[in-house]
Amino acid sequence: AQSVAQPEDQVNVAEGNPLTVKCTYSVSGNPYLFWYVQYPNRGLQFLLKYITGDNLVKGSYGFEAEFNKSQTSFHLKKPSALVSDSALYFCAVRDIGTGGFKTIFGAGTRLFVKA
Amino acid sequence: GAGVSQTPSNKVTEKGKYVELRCDPISGHTALYWYRQSLGQGPEFLIYFQGTGAADDSGLPNDRFFAVRPEGSVSTLKIQRTERGDSAVYLCASSLGLGGTDTQYFGPGTRLTVL
């Protein structure tokens, strides 16, 4: 069965510092991996995805994520955090082997960027 | 263009009542998904449609939950004999329907409260 773990409920970082939001996954086959962000009273917004190819994926708002197959991780990163990045971040996975449409989300990590 | 829309934005009902939640996907998207998000949790997969048919309904918690998409566009999630535990935000998403690499676009959700 597919599963996603986001080990940190909250990540605190000072504005201008680099940030990392962690995600590990478990699938029986090869994964498709996604990151979404949720702002208060708004729907989930797509940030980036890994399908195949280069392990470093670049996405919206300066975010990037690195796929590490041996560690089954897909951590979200940004070189310099902004206060406006404060939001709830979700990692998600689809198992290619099961046909790929069912998506499993992690429990979310709240990012707090302090000015 | 218009995004995914969901109506109503809020629904308050009494235990035992029947409710319908509506989702209007992005025009041209053949895939449609329903998720349930409880407080402090990530979205939980309920059902996925490809066109008019439910391709995967493995996430529906029990037979009180049912969803339809009769013309391959608008979808309705139906909950019979509501229980207090059904209180959550119900999210709808749509995608092009090309496969597991699809990016899902989410609506703002319907907040269901069962008293």
Side-chain angles (χ1 to χ4, degrees):
Chain A
Q2 305 158 242
S3 66
V4 176
Q6 293 183 242
E8 303 152 315
D9 290 337
Q10 182 165 313
V11 170
N12 298 306
V13 64
E15 188 174 35
N17 282 0
L19 69 88
T20 299
V21 182
K22 296 179 180 177
C23 171
T24 59
Y25 66 90
S26 175
V27 296
S28 58
N30 290 317
Y32 296 141
L33 294 155
F34 303 80
W35 275 100
Y36 285 83
V37 60
Q38 188 172 41
Y39 296 100
N41 301 314
R42 294 173 65 178
L44 278 85
Q45 297 178 33
F46 169 76
L47 278 179
L48 52 80
K49 64 183 176 183
Y50 171 81
I51 302 301
T52 188
D54 194 346
N55 289 342
L56 185 63
V57 179
K58 294 187 183 297
S60 306
Y61 313 120
F63 284 93
E64 57 190 29
E66 186 166 12
F67 170 62
N68 187 316
K69 187 172 183 178
S70 63
Q71 297 185 3
T72 61
S73 67
F74 189 56
H75 301 331
L76 181 70
K77 300 181 181 183
K78 187 173 182 181
S80 178
L82 300 172
V83 172
S84 58
D85 293 330
S86 298
L88 191 54
Y89 290 80
F90 291 98
C91 181
V93 66
R94 288 183 202 147
D95 187 341
I96 299 172
T98 63
F101 278 97
K102 182 174 180 177
T103 307
I104 303 300
F105 284 78
T109 298
R110 186 165 300 281
L111 174 66
F112 181 69
V113 181
K114 184 177 180 180
Chain B
V4 178
S5 62
Q6 293 186 244
T7 54
S9 55
N10 281 283
K11 176 70 176 178
V12 180
T13 190
E14 295 179 342
K15 180 175 178 296
K17 300 290 188 182
Y18 168 83
V19 296
E20 290 189 352
L21 312 180
R22 176 188 167 108
C23 172
D24 265 282
I26 293 172
S27 178
H29 280 190
T30 63
L32 185 145
Y33 316 75
W34 283 100
Y35 294 85
R36 177 170 67 176
Q37 187 175 19
S38 301
L39 194 63
Q41 300 296 318
E44 173 193 7
F45 171 83
L46 296 178
I47 186 170
Y48 145 65
F49 287 90
Q50 179 65 276
T52 60
D56 186 343
D57 64 357
S58 62
L60 294 177
N62 52 59
D63 61 5
R64 296 187 297 105
F65 288 75
F66 190 70
V68 295
R69 195 185 185 200
E71 298 179 357
S73 179
V74 170
S75 176
T76 304
L77 178 66
K78 308 180 180 192
I79 310 174
Q80 298 176 322
R81 303 184 305 280
T82 52
E83 300 177 356
R84 292 193 180 88
D86 298 335
S87 296
V89 176
Y90 288 81
L91 300 172
C92 176
S94 70
S95 71
L96 286 170
L98 300 179
T101 60
D102 273 8
T103 295
Q104 295 177 45
Y105 297 90
F106 283 80
T110 294
R111 183 176 298 278
L112 175 66
T113 303
V114 182
L115 301 176

